Amino acid sequence: MLSRTADNLFWIARYMERAETMARLLEVGARIALLPSAGHGYRSEWDSLLQASGTAAGFAKKYGDPVQRNIESYLFFDHDNVSSVATCISRARENARIVRTALTTQVWDALNTAFQEMRQLERTPRSQLELSRLTEWTMRHAAMVRGAIDATLLRNDGWDFLGLGYKLERADNTARLMDVKYYVLLPRADYVGSGLDNYQWTTLLRAMSSHRAFHWAYGGEITAGKIAHFLILNPQCPRSLLTAIEGATQHLDRLAKGYHTSTQAQSRSRALLGELSEMTVDDIFEEGLHEFLSRFIGDVGEVSQLVGEIYLSGVAR
């Protein structure tokens, strides 16, 4: 496969997963903002979304103070924000257009429909658009694209590059979503284990569509330790860091086998998977949740960079 084609497929998946994460971040912020202010936290629930999504600097340069309505617009509609839902869907559709012949009709239709409906949303007055409608719309279309890929694409190297993009982006995004919780509670450690603490963890689970799955897996009381284990170390959780890295490693193994050569990206991903497999929740809390998540995001970035250098740049194939 041409590196240019692989690059476009890889980024279709990353953009669609990123669009879904932006919608989930907005849902977390909206749900947590319904709580009465406890007079603590990073600065505000909405500011924490900018920090966790890595878009705080761009927002501050354009808007200044973090106001809810501006943050919603910046994370959903703003094409100056490279991670906004509108930008991600537009770029995913453009990448799909370039590699149209590598996709099935169903995958192209799912991507193109999302793009066309997004243009209609952009022409609709904001006063007529509730945030919940926007987040549900995004998650529905992201699921339709994923379903079309899984149901119709040949399991060749193109499918692996799409899968690799999804898994690496999901690993990065799950870590960032968990980091929102850290920013909201900082710096009052005495709130850990309180009713507010448990409500926020529950909100995070609901925003990740994992609330019911969590209760099936653990039952009983919701605690920070159980949720951290579920979202980081539980291989049964579809959005856990372990599941995402395991999936990325499998795709890299398939690519290495198909191209008859092992790569540094494969080795780095395997090492990260091995480290996660041997960790416990106590290890993570001892290091510090925020510190662990920051380090993990850096590790995923390193794997992504290696994938780019080895498979997508056309230099080291």
Side-chain angles (χ1 to χ4, degrees):
M1 173 173 283
L2 293 173
S3 58
R4 185 172 62 250
T5 303
D7 185 57
N8 281 303
L9 291 170
F10 179 78
W11 279 101
I12 288 171
R14 293 208 70 153
Y15 282 132
M16 289 308 298
E17 184 71 16
R18 191 172 300 175
E20 184 176 353
T21 299
M22 284 299 123
R24 292 181 183 278
L25 273 169
L26 285 168
E27 189 169 342
V28 170
R31 286 179 181 271
I32 291 179
L34 294 176
L35 283 173
S37 174
H40 62 282
Y42 181 71
R43 269 176 287 181
S44 77
E45 296 81 0
W46 293 101
D47 192 26
S48 71
L49 303 191
L50 296 173
Q51 299 293 338
S53 64
T55 59
F59 178 87
K61 185 177 181 181
K62 183 166 186 177
Y63 292 99
D65 292 336
V67 178
Q68 176 179 342
R69 186 176 177 81
N70 290 341
I71 292 175
E72 289 178 7
S73 296
Y74 191 66
L75 293 184
F76 198 92
F77 288 110
D78 200 327
H79 285 272
D80 289 339
N81 176 8
V82 295
S83 298
S84 74
V85 174
T87 301
C88 288
I89 289 179
S90 296
R91 291 189 175 184
R93 191 259 192 184
E94 177 59 18
N95 285 12
R97 188 189 63 75
I98 294 170
V99 293
R100 175 71 183 83
T101 55
L103 302 173
T104 61
T105 301
Q106 290 81 359
V107 175
W108 167 252
D109 284 348
L111 280 162
N112 195 44
T113 299
F115 173 74
Q116 298 299 340
E117 290 189 16
M118 171 57 77
R119 295 183 68 180
Q120 293 177 13
L121 287 174
E122 289 175 321
R123 290 192 291 267
T124 305
R126 284 296 315 278
S127 58
Q128 298 177 18
L129 296 173
E130 294 181 1
L131 182 58
S132 59
R133 175 186 166 190
L134 296 175
T135 57
E136 288 171 10
W137 177 89
T138 308
M139 286 187 269
R140 183 170 67 254
H141 280 282
M144 289 171 65
V145 173
R146 259 198 325 273
I149 290 171
D150 286 341
T152 64
L153 272 190
L154 187 69
R155 265 43 176 175
N156 58 7
D157 49 355
W159 180 76
D160 282 316
F161 283 116
L162 281 163
L164 189 56
Y166 268 118
K167 296 302 183 184
L168 290 177
E169 187 70 23
R170 179 169 296 188
D172 178 274
N173 292 173
T174 295
R176 291 183 187 279
L177 279 164
M178 294 187 72
D179 224 15
V180 173
K181 180 69 174 64
Y182 164 82
Y183 277 112
V184 169
L185 279 184
L186 188 76
R188 295 285 299 277
D190 54 321
Y191 277 90
V192 174
S194 67
L196 178 64
D197 183 35
N198 290 339
Y199 177 84
Q200 290 172 336
W201 279 118
T202 303
T203 297
L204 184 65
L205 282 176
R206 289 189 187 281
M208 297 175 77
S209 305
S210 299
H211 187 252
R212 179 165 296 185
F214 173 83
H215 281 287
W216 283 339
Y218 298 89
E221 184 183 2
I222 293 176
T223 66
K226 286 181 181 178
I227 293 178
H229 184 268
F230 185 61
L231 294 178
I232 296 173
L233 301 176
N234 192 330
Q236 293 181 317
C237 174
R239 302 194 71 85
S240 75
L241 304 187
L242 179 61
T243 302
I245 295 302
E246 188 175 43
T249 304
Q250 288 171 354
H251 284 295
L252 285 167
D253 286 345
R254 281 173 50 91
L255 288 169
K257 184 177 180 181
Y259 292 146
H260 307 292
T261 179
S262 59
T263 65
Q264 195 177 350
Q266 183 188 16
S267 302
R268 187 69 188 87
S269 186
R270 280 184 173 180
L272 184 55
L273 177 61
E275 180 188 353
L276 281 175
S277 300
E278 294 175 1
M279 290 193 86
T280 67
V281 172
D282 289 340
D283 294 334
I284 293 168
F285 283 173
E286 185 175 342
E287 179 179 351
L289 182 59
H290 175 66
E291 286 72 16
F292 166 79
L293 292 172
S294 299
R295 182 169 62 82
F296 178 82
I297 289 169
D299 290 340
V300 172
E302 187 180 336
V303 175
S304 300
Q305 184 177 349
L306 288 169
V307 168
E309 293 171 355
I310 293 165
Y311 291 113
L312 311 181
S313 67
V315 174
R317 280 278 303 275

